Structure formats: structure tokens, C-alpha cells
Amino acid sequence: MSALAALARLRAVREGRAQRLTTVRHCHVSDRPMVFVPFQLAGEAAAPLAAMVGTDPGSPRLLVVPQPRDRDLRFAFAAELAEVVLPYVEGFGKVTETVERRNADPYERCLDAPQLVLPNRQGVAFTGLLGRSTRFRRPDGPFPVHPSVPVLGRWLTFFAERASYPGSSLTLAATDALAMHWASGQSDLEDANLAALMGWIDPPPGRTGLQAAEEAEDPLLWPPAGPATDPGFDNEVLAPAIEAYAEAPTAAAVERIRQAVRSQAEPAWRLTWRALELLRALPAGGSVAQRWDYDRGAFTDFLTRTAEGAPPQARRDGAVSAAARLARMERARASFDAQRAYDDPLVMAEYRLTGEAFAGNVVATEPEHTEGEGRSRKLRPLVTVATADPVRLAPGTTLGTPDRRGQEAEVVEVEGGTVTIKITKGMGRGKTPAPGAVPEVGERVCYTSVTDDFQAAAALPEPEMTPWTHGGPPPEYVPTDEDAGEEWS
Amino acid sequence: MTAQAAPEPVRSPQAEAAAVVEAVLADLPRHRGVVVDSPPGAGKSTLVVRAAGHIAATGEPLMIVAQTNEQVDDLVERLAAEHPALTIGRLSATGYRAPERVFAHPNVRVAGKVADLGDPAVVIATADKWAWAGDRTWPWAIVDEAYQMRSDKLLRIAGCFERALFVGDPGQLDPFSVVDGERWAGLSWDPLQSAVSVLLRHNPHLPVHRLPVSWRLPASAAPVVSEAFYPFTGFRSGTDHGDRSLHLTAGGMRTSYDLALEEAAATGWALYELPERHTVRTDAEAVEAVAVLATRLLQRAPVAVSERGEHPVGPSRIAIGAAHRDQVAAIRAAGLPPEVTVDTANRLQGREYDVTIVLHPLSGRRDATAFHLESGRLCVLASRHRHACVVVARAGIAELLDAHPSAEPVQLGVPVKFPDGWEANQAVLTHLARHRVTP
């Protein structure tokens, strides 16, 4: 935990209310998100028990599996879920825009993309498991399923994988999204309880965050937001209801289970929508739209591939695809960290505390300073900044600044309370700087060594060219009848 | 009754090391890959230079892969000096300016593309640069510091060569990433594993040799480092207790700093232990202690005597190591001569000094995370010196370790790694306790 986050938590305890960690919102919140609150049967690897799902807070769809140990019923549930999820997801494919690119052909991108919102990170993991158990199934062969089930599996897998992609907002876990913007007065572990975290951020009138969070620990008042259910509920309510269904699978028995599960899902459903409201109320950071563009691109790409009948995502990444994914994720991590700092002075403050950034007033400038002779003479303005920050930057370090994003600078000298920098990029070709390009004396500026400038990784071999050091080319995936009979699913 | 095994003839360390090198060279043409594990200062570079000469003598072109530009320049310099007849090409990125020591050799050429190098017998570059170097295939490659190399980097360049010699130190820091790699844990090609682990998991029959003698570490340090960090593949020092000594030629003032330095000079180790306290990472008192120790050491005009002769230990022969970059920055800001190296464990890998001063990674901490427990970090910090190592730490690390047993989740399919960081930390601490000086 950084020093500022620790301070914010202490303040939250003292004030009895969560404290903001950011000045702006760093995730995209869709106008039409789909909230998905899944529940699983205790003791099973991936047996769905129920899900509350929908795009309208007022009318959720509740799907239940009256006997989660019955695999036919599980896949009937998956088909029902597909009826809700697939039209929502595929609907975004109808409206597209043409994106022009430099040095490449223009391409089509969906104007908007779906956003799947879950109450917590465990819900995302369960979504991944559900996707894993459904995407290899087939409408023919042994244990056939409805044709929509494997398609649903691909999409659930897609959403679960995007959740681990830094900066992506296609899948949000409400607790993580909230914890990125607010510090509560409790531990990270306790923040994973959506009701407790919401208690700190948005306590009911007349109560402190601590009181609200304490109340949230009572599973009778605030049942867990899934996918695990409260053991008390399992023993006293769910087990007898499932048993009754097993004895006599009547409509009344199903209704009894529905009512039982509804009591567990509804609070989480309402909380998740409330969390989205709170997030939406924050002003969006400057780079949020750009990251959502990438998300839309990733969505369009996957939509196209699915439509073209691409095979389901592999069970495990091969050597080449693992390395490629790692490179993409590292790139995304670096940009996400840099963009948040540039968008948000409160995030930048963390870097100022660790000496990787500094802010202060300009005390001297030499706007027409040049380097080189003759034709290679270049404008390299010098700027001296007085700062009280503990600067830990060595001369020669490359710097960027949130105030002038196209520019790059370099540390020349750090001397006591002043830092002299040289602007090395973004000065144009003129002999004198453009007005406003060089900060004026007295202007407040901020420079940091954290930049979004990331060297592209070199190309990887094609999967069929995997070298001997990495096991040689992998066997090609061929769907088999065994896909339907995996023990755990 | 069991038959008594004949006692192994006692061989000189030189003979022992030479036998391993011979065995490595003999294995080269017989296998697609050969791995050589090298403990700290065991003559890894010597082996690389030797093998390069050996392969070049066959007339076949050779590519050498190192991990950082400094490593590449070091290799170029040694190779050029020891094989003056060999033509050497150094590939570099466009922004990189090779230092004078590389240009000084007439048989070295530097360029950004293989085609611009002429046709040298040996081409050296970093792994990152090789990944861009095009599609020519080389019959031979030597991969240096292969345990520091992430396997995804090897994947990018493995198509460039037919056979390779992989050399590295398994006890140093594992490669890492800023993203969570749990998704790949247990896969035999996990991109976050080192190049050697992935290579050996796919090619388990490849021969693995071990260099048995550390020429860097003194007799006082080799057993400690060997037992703590290389429990199953021990090594010994190339020199004996009498062969090396460190003398402080200027008189001291009996301060605790002087006592610590005298203890280190006499025994090779000292633990300068500050009172127990939980502190922020850049613990001002610990930083000050490190800086004062370094300054005081220089004031005491140390002279090192070793098998290479006698020389004064100047600031360039002293290094200060710490775990975090902000600690390094704080120590640098404490006003030491600029020639003293101050750096993190990651950047000290592969370097050698006469005396090192180490800020213990667990000093003043409230918890022991996997980062701080990683055995490689302490191993790098405790094995950079030829004469003495002074560790600065807050008291209470043993209790901290007891309160934080390693609790990382166990992943299926991941080979168990030795040594355990927790155990290695305890072993080093137990040894250091015998050399404790308190202010």
C-alpha cells in the first residue's frame, strides 16, 4: 500500500466514511451495462445455482438450477442465460464506424461495446469457469447442448479474460472498481465484501461507514454477493428446498428454490447498480475514452472472429500465445499506470512522494537555448523549476508532463530545491518556440519519469514455428467427443 | 559389511574447474544444448570467452546473447583482448553509444544491422536486439546470464540458432513481470520462467554442468553462500583463508562503525545492527549508517591483499546494495563519492567489488513479502565481494521471519524451487549473528 493510500484509509477511519483516492474516474461506465450476479453450489467446481442478470435495474431476470448436480439442468440454465446475454452482446455489432489508420487500411469498429458488471472478483472468476465448462460443448455428439451454449461459453471466457487486462472496462468487478477510487477504513480483504465496502462509501443516513460495514457482516441482513452462498442459508433454506425438488420436481418446488435464491441475489443486484451510479457520478479521466476505444476494438475483433466460426479459446495458452498475451498485458499495464498519473493529480502525487515526479513553479527559462550546429541545430529550451518534492531523478532521465503531452524532456541538473530540465521533443522545427510551448516563469508545472512511451516487443514466431527450446510446434486443436465428458464440468 | 569407497583424490581448485570446462567443451558438439550452472564468481565469463574461441576455431560463425548492454560490452572487451585475431561484431540499438573500451580494439566493429558488420566470426548483442536481428540462422549460440533471461525472450530468438550453450547463475534473481502471471503457472513454457527452466523442461536429457569453484568469494564467504543458496550443488572458494586479507591502514576511533569495519576486515563479515523498530522503506537511520560506514571505510584507507597482489581499495571498488530503488536514491543522496556504486540487487547482478555494504531487504519491515523473501535477492547482495561484506539491518529480522513463514499458494505443475527464501534468509542471519556490532 502506498503512503497516500494508507493515509486515506486512516482518514476514512477517523471521518467514518470512505475517502477518495482519485480526483477523476479511471474506468469507463457504459450507458447500458449488463449486471450479472451468479451463484454457485457450495462444494462443486463450477455448478451454477442461479444468476440474476439484466440491463434494467427494475426488472432483473432470475435464472435458477433447481438441482445443480443434474448436468442436463445446468446446460439448460446455460441456454437460458445465453438467451439474455447473446442478444445484448450481439446487438452492439449492428452499428459500426470506420476508423482510419496511418500506414494501414481503415477498419470497422463497433460504436459501442457491451459491459458486463459483476459484484466482485470471485464473480469474474466464476464467469471464467462457466465459460470454460460451456465453450467446448457441441449441439451434436454425446451429451448435446443447445447451439447457443458454446457461443455463450466463448463470450463468458472473453469477458473473464478481459477482466485481467489492465485498463480494460469491458468487464468490471464492482468491488475492484470502487476500491480503485475510494479508500475505506477496513482492510483489502474486507473490501472484497461489496456490502461492507458500499457501507463505507455510501452509508445510510445517520450511520457511519464503520456501523454500516459492521451491519454488512450479518449474512441475514446482507447475504454474500456470490458466487459463494452463506452456509447458514445452504443448510437451513437451500438444502431442504433442493431435497423437496428431488422428491417431487413440481412447479411449486421450483418456485420455492426461486424464492430462496431471490432473497440472496436481490441485495447484491441492488448494490451493484448503486455502485455503478456512484462511479458514473465521478467525472471521467482524460484517457478513459481512449482505453474504451481499445476495448471496442477488442470486442469488434472477437465478434468478427466468432461470427466467422473460429474455434473456442484454447484451454491453455500455447508457448507463443502466452508470450504474446504477456507482452500485450505488460504494455497495457505500463500505459494504464502512466495514463492514470497524467489524468489525475492525486495519482501523480504518489509518484511525487517516491521521487519519480515533481511539481513546482518555474523560476527561470531559456526558451531559445539550442544544441548542435548548422543544419542539425535544434531548439532545446531549458526550464528551471523550484520544487519542495523529494526529487530522486538522475540527470539524463527522460521526463513527460501532463500539461504538455506531446513534449518530452530530460533532467539536466538537480540542485537543492531546483530542477533544471531540457525540452527534447515536441518543439517543432522553428528557430523560436511556438507561443505557450515553453512554460513561463511563475507557471506551475509537473514532470515525471513515468511515461507512456513503451518500446514495442519484437515479433514472435508463428505457433507452428515454435522452436525446440519451447517444445516445438503444438498439436492442432481438433474437437472430439471427449470435450463433452470432462469430469469436473 | 559395506565396502569403503576409495577417498577421492584431493585436486586443486584450478584442476577441478578446468576439468569441468573440458567436459563442457567436449559436450558441445554432442548435444543441441548444453547448460552450465555457475555460482557467483565461478569464472562464467572466462568460460564464455573460452568456448567462444573454441567454437570460432572450428570456422563456424557464432552468435552470443547477453541480457544488458553492459554485459555485452564487458564480453566484447574480454573477447577482443583474449582473442585478438578474432573478428567481433557488436550489434546495438540505434540510440546506444558503445563506450570507448569497446572501440579501442581494432578487431571490433559496431553496427545496428548484421549486414553492416562485415562477416565477423562472432556477433554479440543483447537478447532484445537479437529479437530484431532478422532471420539468418547461426550454427552456434552462447546465451550468457541465461537464468536472468525470461523464457519469452528465448522464444523470440531461439529460431536464430541451431545449437546453444546456456550459461548462468541459478541462485540469482528470477525474471519478473509487472503483470500477474498466475494464468501460466505450471505450463512448461510459462513465459515468466527463466529461459533455462523452460529449456530443461522441454529437453530434460540435455547435459547440465556445474562450475565448482568461486574465484570471487573469499574462503570466509563461499561456505556461507554455498550452504544458504546452493544447498544441493555446493561450491568452494578458489582461495584459502590465508590467501586474502583486508587491512585498514589508517587508525580508527573505536566507534561502532570502526568496530564493524574491523570485524569485517578480520572475518569477512559484519552485521551492523540498529535497534529494533518498524520504519518506512527509506529508514533514515539505516541509510545514514550505510553512508557513514562507506565514508568511514574510505577514511580508514583499506588495502586488499589477494592472489592478484596488493592494492588500495578505492571508492570504485566499493558497492552498496539495497532492495528498492527509493532506498538506492536515498543512499545516493547521502553524499558519497560518486565512484562508489550504489544500486539495487537486480542491477548488481554479475558485478564484482572488493567490499560491499548491504542494506538488508528485511530491515525495519513489518512483514516479509515474497519479494523480500526471494532468495536470489539476498544471494546477489551477499555474493558481490572479494574481501568483506557489511550488512546493515534493524534487529528483529529473525522474529519477523518466524512471524511470516512463506505462504505463497502452491501451484500445480511448478517445479519446487530450492532454496526456499525463508530458509536461506535464516541461514545467512544465523551466520551474521556471529559478527554482530551494535551502535
Side-chain angles (χ1 to χ4, degrees), chain A residues 303-329:
Chain A
L303 186 72
T304 319
R305 269 187 290 143
T306 314
E308 286 166 358
Q313 297 98 325
R315 291 191 177 87
R316 295 177 192 87
D317 289 341
V320 174
S321 55
R325 186 189 295 272
L326 175 63
R328 281 199 307 272
M329 283 171 71

Side-chain angles (χ1 to χ4, degrees), chain B residues 1-50:
Chain B
M1 235 181 94
T2 52
Q4 194 92 34
E8 243 181 78
V10 182
R11 291 197 291 178
S12 75
Q14 282 81 0
E16 209 177 318
V20 173
V21 174
E22 288 309 322
V24 170
L25 296 182
D27 259 345
L28 276 181
R30 289 202 289 258
H31 298 272
R32 201 158 185 192
V34 175
V35 177
V36 181
D37 287 0
S38 164
K44 187 164 55 61
S45 311
T46 313
L47 172 72
V48 170
V49 170
R50 178 89 197 277

Side-chain angles (χ1 to χ4, degrees), chain A residues 429-469:
Chain A
R429 292 191 184 166
K431 286 202 178 111
T432 51
V438 178
E440 303 278 332
V441 172
E443 190 180 329
R444 183 152 180 93
V445 292
C446 173
Y447 284 90
T448 174
S449 61
V450 179
T451 61
D452 196 3
D453 192 23
F454 193 86
Q455 215 186 357
L460 284 159
E462 292 298 318
E464 58 272 18
M465 297 292 285
T466 306
W468 59 279
T469 53

Side-chain angles (χ1 to χ4, degrees), chain A residues 213-432:
Chain A
E214 273 171 353
E215 200 182 278
E217 284 177 8
D218 183 348
L220 293 179
L221 289 173
W222 290 102
T229 43
D230 169 37
F233 164 81
D234 284 350
N235 291 332
E236 286 155 33
V237 185
L238 185 64
I242 291 179
E243 217 159 283
Y245 172 84
E247 275 164 26
T250 60
V254 175
E255 191 51 33
R256 183 176 163 192
I257 297 175
R258 287 182 71 84
Q259 289 310 330
V261 172
R262 187 185 296 279
S263 69
Q264 301 296 296
E266 256 180 349
W269 171 263
R270 287 199 310 271
L271 280 175
T272 309
W273 282 103
R274 177 75 188 125
L276 281 173
E277 251 174 67
L278 291 173
L279 285 167
R280 199 177 276 131
L282 303 177
S287 310
V288 170
Q290 187 198 334
R291 288 196 297 273
W292 184 245
D293 287 349
Y294 287 127
D295 275 339
R296 288 193 289 130
F299 165 71
T300 312
D301 212 38
F302 190 70
L303 186 72
T304 319
R305 269 187 290 143
T306 314
E308 286 166 358
Q313 297 98 325
R315 291 191 177 87
R316 295 177 192 87
D317 289 341
V320 174
S321 55
R325 186 189 295 272
L326 175 63
R328 281 199 307 272
M329 283 171 71
E330 286 186 321
R331 168 86 186 87
R333 171 90 266 159
S335 342
F336 187 41
D337 288 347
Q339 289 173 354
R340 273 186 308 146
Y342 280 56
D343 288 352
D344 191 336
L346 211 46
V347 177
M348 185 65 91
E350 307 256 356
Y351 295 103
R352 288 173 56 191
L353 276 179
T354 55
E356 290 166 278
F358 62 91
N361 290 323
V362 177
V363 290
T365 62
E366 203 178 315
E368 296 186 11
H369 179 83
T370 55
E371 278 181 4
E373 289 301 324
R375 284 180 66 84
S376 63
R377 196 176 158 100
K378 286 173 193 132
L379 203 52
R380 292 285 180 264
L382 295 177
V383 179
T384 306
V385 183
T387 177
D389 294 346
V391 185
R392 286 176 186 143
L393 297 166
T397 312
T398 307
L399 300 174
T401 172
D403 315 312
R404 293 172 175 80
R405 301 243 176 148
Q407 286 186 3
E408 210 169 83
E410 198 181 288
V411 181
V412 178
E413 194 183 27
V414 182
E415 179 79 49
T418 64
V419 185
T420 303
I421 58 153
K422 177 169 80 183
I423 304 177
T424 51
K425 238 186 220 171
M427 286 315 299
R429 292 191 184 166
K431 286 202 178 111
T432 51

Side-chain angles (χ1 to χ4, degrees), chain A residues 1-9 21 346-350 353:
Chain A
M1 194 173 10
S2 69
L4 273 186
L7 179 66
R9 278 184 192 268
L21 282 170
L346 211 46
V347 177
M348 185 65 91
E350 307 256 356
L353 276 179

Side-chain angles (χ1 to χ4, degrees), chain B residues 275-284 286 363-366 394:
Chain B
E276 180 167 358
R277 200 174 145 198
H278 291 151
T279 65
V280 292
R281 227 152 65 177
T282 48
D283 179 359
S363 172
R365 285 195 66 86
R366 282 185 58 241
R394 291 267 170 197

Side-chain angles (χ1 to χ4, degrees), chain B residues 235-294:
Chain B
F235 60 90
R236 61 163 157 158
S237 64
T239 53
D240 215 336
H241 280 285
D243 296 343
R244 289 209 190 146
S245 57
L246 185 68
H247 306 282
L248 305 171
T249 55
M253 305 208 294
R254 307 292 301 161
T255 65
S256 56
Y257 299 113
D258 287 304
L259 294 179
L261 294 172
E262 282 154 19
E263 172 75 17
T267 67
W269 294 99
L271 170 63
Y272 188 78
E273 194 176 68
L274 295 164
E276 180 167 358
R277 200 174 145 198
H278 291 151
T279 65
V280 292
R281 227 152 65 177
T282 48
D283 179 359
E285 281 172 43
V287 165
E288 195 198 327
V290 169
V292 173
L293 279 167

